[in-house]
């Protein structure tokens, strides 16, 4: 059963510096494993998340192009590092610095994905937020979603090209 999307409260969900949020998914991003920290910070139960798409914690402030880039990277077998704002079931949010990697079987085929996240510093969030706001605005400007997604991706590519950095290196430089 689909869980109704909560209305964001603007409050931060408690997530301590020494905690790590872990989830594992199938190749389509459906949750197969979630640690206690993920469940506590997201205010969800294991029964509610198992088998659900990971977008269950998607925050409306997150630009689509960031997830698009993440899926392109991990789908091609790469590792992704990046900042993500998530939504807890009570509408509170939490920022993470995520590391997402593919899991493979003995033949090398991707069998799913694994993500570890820690809490970013406030200063890092303050530096990534303006970029995400610009990307979100670029995505929302056209009336059709596809054009919006393309405009967001183009803005992100131009922003990174100006700095001469791929997204992951930019994320680490914050
Ligand atoms: C291992 C793994 C972890 C993910 N973690 C998150 C997450 O914490 N928050 C999130 O919004 N999306 C996460 N995603 C991405 C979602 O699958 C999805 O692409 C994203 O929420 C955008 O959803 P939408 O395309 O339905 O808008 C994760 C995907 C994978 C494979």
């Amino acid at each position: 059963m689909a869980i109704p999307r909560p209305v964001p409260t603007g409050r931060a969900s408690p997530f301590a510096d020494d905690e790590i949020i872990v989830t594992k998914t199938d190749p389509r991003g459906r949750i197969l494993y979630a640690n206690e920290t993920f469940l506590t910070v997201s205010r969800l139960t294991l029964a509610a998340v198992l088998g659900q798409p990971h977008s269950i914690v998607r925050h409306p402030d997150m630009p689509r192009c960031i997830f698009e880039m993440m899926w392109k990277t991990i789908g091609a077998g790469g590792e992704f590092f990046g900042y993500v704002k998530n939504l807890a079931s009570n509408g509170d949010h939490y920022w993470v610095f995520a590391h997402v990697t593919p899991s493979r079987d003995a033949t090398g085929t991707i069998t799913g994905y694994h993500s570890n996240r820690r809490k970013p510093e406030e200063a890092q969030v303050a530096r990534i937020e303006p970029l995400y706001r610009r990307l979100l605005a670029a995505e929302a400007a056209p009336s059709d979603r596809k054009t919006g997604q393309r405009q967001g991706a183009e803005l992100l590519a131009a922003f990174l090209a100006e700095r001469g950095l791929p997204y992951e290196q930019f994320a680490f430089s914050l």
Side-chain angles (χ1 to χ4, degrees), residues 83-115:
Y83 294 93
V84 180
K85 185 178 187 179
N86 277 338
L87 191 63
S89 72
N90 64 349
D92 292 356
H93 64 266
Y94 59 96
W95 277 93
V96 299
F97 184 62
H99 178 213
V100 192
T101 55
S103 306
R104 297 175 185 276
D105 66 15
T107 69
T109 305
I110 293 177
T111 55
Y113 300 101
H114 184 141
S115 178

Side-chain angles (χ1 to χ4, degrees), residues 21 23-30 38 53-59 62-64 67-68 70-71 74 84-87 94 96 98-101 112-117 145:
I21 290 175
T23 54
K24 296 179 196 175
T25 73
D26 71 6
R28 289 192 302 159
R30 291 185 184 273
F38 174 79
H54 220 307
S55 52
I56 195 170
V57 290
R58 191 195 197 296
H59 196 290
M62 278 301 293
R64 314 192 76 80
F67 294 118
E68 191 188 8
M70 184 203 81
W71 276 106
I74 62 175
V84 180
K85 185 178 187 179
N86 277 338
L87 191 63
Y94 59 96
V96 299
H99 178 213
V100 192
T101 55
Y113 300 101
H114 184 141
S115 178
N116 287 309
R117 308 122 172 128
R145 191 169 132 163

